[in-house]
Amino acid sequence: MSLVLREVGPRDGLQAESPVDVGERVRLIAALVAAGLSDIEAVAFVSPRAVPSMAGATEVMAAVERAPGVRYWALVPNVRGAEMAVAAEVDGLSVTVSASAAYNEKNVHISIDESVDAVDGIAKVADGALPIDAVVSCAFGSPYEGDIAVATVRSLARRLLDAGATSLTFADTTGMATPPRITALLDSVGTDVGLHLHETRGTGLVNAFAAWEAGVRRFDTSVGGLGGSPFAEGAAGNLATEQLVYLLDELGVPTGVDLARLLEVCRLAEAMVGHPLPSAVARAGPRLSG
Ligand code: MG
């Protein structure tokens, strides 16, 4: 398995912010690609009324200059979103289903069964032409229900693959994972999975390290920790891309990402959202070496 860092700043990150112009979003995506990121969750095809900051996904995808070898992902919640994403010529679809029934119902207002059905419908739209990554949210615990049994998460994962998902990502939606919980899940579902980690309780990077050591090679991260600002209400706390790149650089793992350029993208993202981003490497810079 080769390393895949999927940059989610333009989607998961900006979703939590006041709306940013289409042109600025395109500029952020281009800057991330120029820094060396080759998987970008660029847009979400969701209701602009429900999520105003994700309006204009078609326009963003039309304006992005496609770089060779780069996959531009879209989050889609349903068949309608998948149809729009296919029309916009995205390279992959991600769809979120929560392992917590209460979380699913509060956030997308449908049951887990209905969400699994949505994956089935999305898979029919993709018709084998696009990868479909099912993101299992609350995989390490629910803010409403507490611990979610590993067996429950595993059984949902199986159903999502049966419904047509081509890969799985497990998300620590509200920062409840710790290294023992990471390894417990991986022992059950295997390591050919992605992880979407959050720094809500400061464990994002140590969880990523535990997963790396266990053999996981796919991670969702967000430039600057965008979407995880302590200055924003309802901070999600995405693991910052440069935190993981810095760690992997130190481990001697080739990432293809230029850390110095990535830190410039942090500055760009801060200017776009109008407040500092929380990542420690973005604040302190890389260590002096040599
Ligand atoms: Mg997130």
Side-chain angles (χ1 to χ4, degrees):
M1 285 190 283
S2 56
L3 176 68
V4 176
L5 301 180
R6 182 167 56 180
E7 167 63 48
V8 301
R11 201 287 298 171
D12 190 359
L14 289 184
Q15 182 168 312
E17 300 284 347
S18 299
V20 172
D21 288 354
V22 165
E24 291 287 279
R25 287 156 66 190
V26 170
R27 195 166 153 229
L28 177 62
I29 292 165
L32 289 161
V33 170
L37 288 149
S38 55
D39 282 79
I40 312 276
E41 193 176 67
V43 291
F45 286 91
V46 292
S47 159
R49 283 178 307 284
V51 193
S53 54
M54 287 292 104
T58 297
E59 289 78 4
V60 170
M61 289 313 301
V64 164
E65 195 171 322
R66 310 296 173 94
V70 175
R71 281 171 294 194
Y72 300 86
W73 292 78
L75 177 80
V76 296
N78 50 34
V79 165
R80 173 79 184 126
E83 287 168 348
M84 293 177 74
V86 168
E89 299 183 342
V90 304
D91 303 299
L93 305 176
S94 55
V95 53
T96 298
V97 180
S98 186
S100 159
Y103 189 92
N104 211 60
E105 269 157 36
K106 278 185 203 279
N107 282 272
V108 289
H109 313 295
I110 57 176
S111 69
I112 290 175
D113 286 353
E114 288 170 303
S115 281
V116 174
D117 287 346
V119 173
D120 182 72
I122 289 164
K124 288 189 170 76
V125 172
D127 198 23
L130 289 179
I132 299 171
D133 187 48
V135 181
V136 179
S137 74
C138 299
F140 302 92
S142 161
Y144 308 112
E145 296 167 279
D147 292 343
I148 304 272
V150 164
T152 303
V153 178
R154 178 197 166 101
S155 127
L156 175 59
R158 183 71 255 165
R159 290 178 68 198
L160 293 168
L161 292 174
D162 290 345
T166 57
S167 63
L168 296 165
T169 292
F170 295 93
D172 183 21
T173 309
T174 56
M176 296 173 77
T178 57
R181 294 177 191 274
I182 294 278
T183 48
L185 182 64
L186 296 177
D187 284 347
S188 176
V189 300
T191 56
D192 186 11
V193 299
L195 290 180
H196 179 118
L197 301 168
H198 282 186
E199 289 287 15
T200 319
R201 290 181 175 79
T203 54
L205 188 60
V206 74
N207 288 338
F209 184 58
W212 171 266
E213 292 277 277
V216 171
R217 294 296 177 264
R218 286 195 284 121
F219 297 91
D220 284 357
T221 59
S222 180
V223 62
L226 191 61
S229 169
F231 305 94
E233 279 277 306
N238 286 311
L239 173 61
T241 309
E242 63 278 7
Q243 296 286 146
L244 187 54
V245 168
Y246 176 65
L247 174 66
L248 293 171
D249 281 353
E250 286 297 307
L251 295 173
V253 178
T255 65
V257 180
D258 182 322
L259 185 57
R261 292 189 77 169
L262 184 58
L263 295 180
E264 289 169 20
V265 185
C266 286
R267 302 285 95 83
L268 177 71
E270 285 180 331
M272 264 177 213
V273 299
H275 60 75
L277 295 176
S279 103
V281 172
R283 186 127 324 161
R287 66 185 288 282
L288 187 63
S289 54

